[in-house]
Amino acid sequence: QLDPFYASIILFVGRAWDAITDPMVGFFISKTSWTRLGRLMPWIIFSTPFAVISYFLIWFVPDISRGQVLWYLIFYCIFQTLVTCFHVPYSALTMFISREQSERDSATAYRMTVEVLGTVLGTAIQGQIVGKVNTPCIKSPLFISTANSSVAMEELNMTHETGSLTDTRNAYMIAAGVIGGLYILCALILSVGVREKRESSELRSDKPVSFFQGLKLVMNHGAYIKLIAGFLFTSLAFMWCWVEGKKVWPHIPAPVNCELCFPGAEEATLTIPLWQWFLTRFGKKTAVYVGISSAIPFLIMVAVLDSNLIITYIVAVAAGISVAAAFLLPWSMLPDVIDDFKLQHPESQGHEAIFFSFYVFFTKFTSGVSLGISTLSLDFAGYQTRGCSQPSEVNFTLKMLVSAVPVGLILLGLLLFKLYPIDEEKRKKNKKALQDLREESNSSSESDNTELASIV
């Protein structure tokens, strides 16, 4: 029931807030002492209940005539902060469970498979519960002569029955409760089933440096900057497809539309093991080029062909296969960057959370930017909230948002990945050099302990 302009403002401000909280959470994690549960796991455990409460309040409609925008803005920012407290340590666990690159790659593949599966599950739950509520469209021709969304909202408020609004509110609250329950269940499984290994991430001779020194070192690491830049543009492209996909085909039945609101998510889940095999066989950079670029011809089909159910499924399957590569491969390349950083700066330690915090930020940033720009673009094009039909400008805008824009972002992202310096040969050299450095560090530490004991 908010004007699209205010919804966009909430999304943009929330993402700007993320730009502050993500590195700050990374900073506090890097300063966290090891406990019986580890360094990362306490953040996951203690943030979960508060994140569920704030998520529930995002969907709650307060009984106030003014201040609803402020209400949603506050709880949206709180929720994003608490999700950061979960997602940054959760992602960084990859570096704390093993030293072996192959085992980290395998763990990343499992993690991304279940993340995509969770996206499908959450989308299905939300869509099916909310979709059962019949919200009548506006049949007034008012939207044809005006692009003012506030007028459309007034028309909606006049024609929408109070009972239907109540049912809609209840449906969103039920969906939020179910998803919150899944959040708690998955956090419980994670905390019970995963154990951190302190020796997996640190060299014994490391000397800690301050956060700002570490941040400067991280952001000056060329391989990391090229990787996150490529990840930013490619993930933004596929997030854009996610946001716009279900709007381009309004004639598709609701159950099918709900299934496809994350394009080809089932295919993405099934093909992640395939890409895991592909990267071990041909290398990660080759897998990035092949996997991500394969979506381009099918995205062009959206713009040049009339939409129908068959084309929808073809595009969804192709996009799903590319989504698997776009989200698995950059995440599997990040531990290689951290290993490369450790070789160049062996005196620094404890920066894993900083590396992962910016990755997490860009993941959330892309979804927020795509949602915000999408909403503003449709508002400017004259989009009618719950309109039974839309102006031709809206249909053209949607076509561009789901085809031309993602293709351009993908090409730019692939160009940046081309500049990424860590190929398979360098990755193997780094692995050998890091292993030698650890052995030298351990032998030096043992020698010092023996000398100290003899002195005593």
Side-chain angles (χ1 to χ4, degrees):
Q1 296 295 294
L2 289 179
D3 186 284
F5 174 78
Y6 292 115
S8 301
I9 293 298
I10 292 173
L11 291 168
F12 279 123
V13 173
R15 270 12 184 205
W17 176 248
D18 264 343
I20 301 174
T21 58
D22 284 340
M24 287 303 297
V25 169
F27 162 70
F28 288 121
I29 291 175
S30 68
K31 295 297 183 182
T32 301
S33 302
W34 280 85
T35 67
R36 183 173 56 87
L37 299 175
R39 173 189 287 178
L40 306 177
M41 200 61 69
W43 286 83
I44 294 173
I45 294 173
F46 292 112
S47 67
T48 293
F50 300 103
V52 171
I53 294 173
S54 62
Y55 178 75
F56 190 78
L57 292 175
I58 288 176
W59 299 106
F60 178 76
V61 180
D63 188 17
I64 52 178
S65 58
R66 295 182 180 180
Q68 286 192 350
V69 173
L70 185 61
W71 170 283
Y72 293 121
L73 177 61
I74 290 174
F75 284 106
Y76 184 68
C77 291
I78 292 175
F79 174 70
Q80 292 298 329
T81 302
L82 292 168
V83 167
T84 297
C85 293
F86 183 101
H87 203 181
V88 169
Y90 166 69
S91 303
L93 274 173
T94 305
M95 299 298 300
F96 287 78
I97 58 178
S98 177
R99 288 179 175 176
E100 292 297 324
Q101 292 179 350
S102 59
E103 293 182 352
R104 291 174 178 175
D105 291 343
S106 177
T108 301
Y110 277 105
R111 179 170 69 85
M112 297 312 299
T113 299
V114 178
E115 280 196 19
V116 175
L117 183 62
T119 303
V120 177
L121 182 61
T123 299
I125 292 173
Q126 182 88 358
Q128 291 299 319
I129 295 177
V130 176
K132 290 181 179 180
V133 180
N134 181 26
T135 54
C137 62
I138 302 173
K139 298 182 180 180
S140 170
L142 185 63
F143 71 91
I144 297 177
S145 59
T146 181
N148 190 335
S149 60
S150 62
V151 176
M153 291 306 300
E154 291 176 2
E155 179 71 10
L156 174 64
N157 291 332
M158 288 187 294
T159 59
H160 209 249
E161 296 180 359
T162 303
S164 179
L165 278 176
T166 301
D167 294 339
T168 303
R169 291 191 185 102
N170 293 337
Y172 275 105
M173 296 297 288
I174 293 172
V178 174
I179 292 176
L182 287 175
Y183 194 128
I184 295 175
L185 175 63
C186 293
L188 179 62
I189 294 173
L190 177 68
S191 61
V192 172
V194 177
R195 287 292 177 268
E196 301 173 49
K197 298 178 181 179
R198 185 172 185 174
E199 66 276 5
S200 295
S201 63
E202 296 181 349
L203 301 175
R204 293 188 181 181
S205 61
D206 283 342
K207 295 181 180 179
V209 298
S210 69
F211 168 74
F212 293 103
Q213 289 176 319
L215 181 62
K216 183 179 179 180
L217 290 173
V218 168
M219 299 312 296
N220 286 334
H221 192 59
Y224 182 61
I225 296 301
K226 294 180 177 67
L227 180 61
I228 61 174
F231 176 68
L232 169 63
F233 288 106
T234 53
S235 60
L236 180 58
F238 287 103
M239 284 293 181
W240 222 297
C241 294
W242 173 16
V243 171
E244 304 302 333
K246 64 179 180 178
K247 302 175 186 174
V248 176
W249 302 286
H251 60 280
I252 297 176
V256 178
N257 210 333
C258 174
E259 178 186 356
L260 297 177
C261 63
F262 189 94
E266 293 88 348
E267 289 74 19
T269 304
L270 296 175
T271 54
I272 284 179
L274 171 64
W275 289 117
Q276 175 65 19
W277 169 84
F278 193 95
L279 70 86
T280 57
R281 179 67 177 81
F282 300 100
K284 297 180 182 180
K285 290 187 69 172
T286 302
V288 165
Y289 301 145
V290 175
I292 296 178
S293 62
S294 63
I296 293 178
F298 299 96
L299 293 175
I300 296 176
M301 288 175 56
V302 176
V304 300
L305 298 178
D306 294 332
S307 61
N308 56 61
L309 190 57
I310 296 177
I311 293 178
T312 302
Y313 272 110
I314 292 175
V315 174
V317 170
I321 295 173
S322 293
V323 163
F327 286 92
L328 167 66
L329 297 172
W331 278 105
S332 68
M333 297 160 80
L334 182 56
D336 300 336
V337 171
I338 297 176
D339 287 343
D340 185 68
F341 175 84
K342 287 182 177 181
L343 286 174
Q344 296 186 25
H345 305 279
E347 73 285 352
S348 301
Q349 59 100 5
H351 303 310
E352 294 88 355
I354 300 177
F355 279 99
F356 279 92
S357 65
F358 282 99
Y359 240 51
V360 171
F361 164 68
F362 281 124
T363 302
K364 296 187 290 184
F365 175 79
T366 53
S367 63
V369 167
S370 56
L371 282 168
I373 295 180
S374 165
T375 307
L376 282 177
S377 300
L378 294 178
D379 193 27
F380 292 146
Y383 180 78
Q384 168 72 26
T385 304
R386 302 196 196 280
C388 296
S389 59
Q390 300 292 344
S392 59
E393 291 83 358
V394 172
N395 296 327
F396 175 78
T397 301
L398 285 172
K399 290 269 188 177
M400 292 299 100
L401 289 175
V402 83
S403 58
V405 174
V407 168
L409 292 171
I410 287 174
L411 293 175
L412 182 57
L414 291 176
L415 176 61
L416 293 168
F417 277 123
K418 182 69 175 177
L419 303 175
Y420 175 70
I422 303 178
D423 53 16
E424 287 304 297
E425 181 180 356
K426 185 171 183 179
R427 188 170 71 90
K428 292 178 181 178
K429 290 182 179 179
N430 287 350
K431 178 182 178 181
K432 177 70 166 56
L434 194 60
Q435 183 177 356
D436 293 341
L437 185 61
R438 286 196 178 103
E439 291 176 355
E440 179 182 350
S441 173
N442 293 338
S443 62
S444 175
S445 177
E446 292 174 359
S447 175
D448 291 342
N449 290 337
T450 302
E451 182 179 355
L452 178 63
S454 63
I455 292 175
V456 173

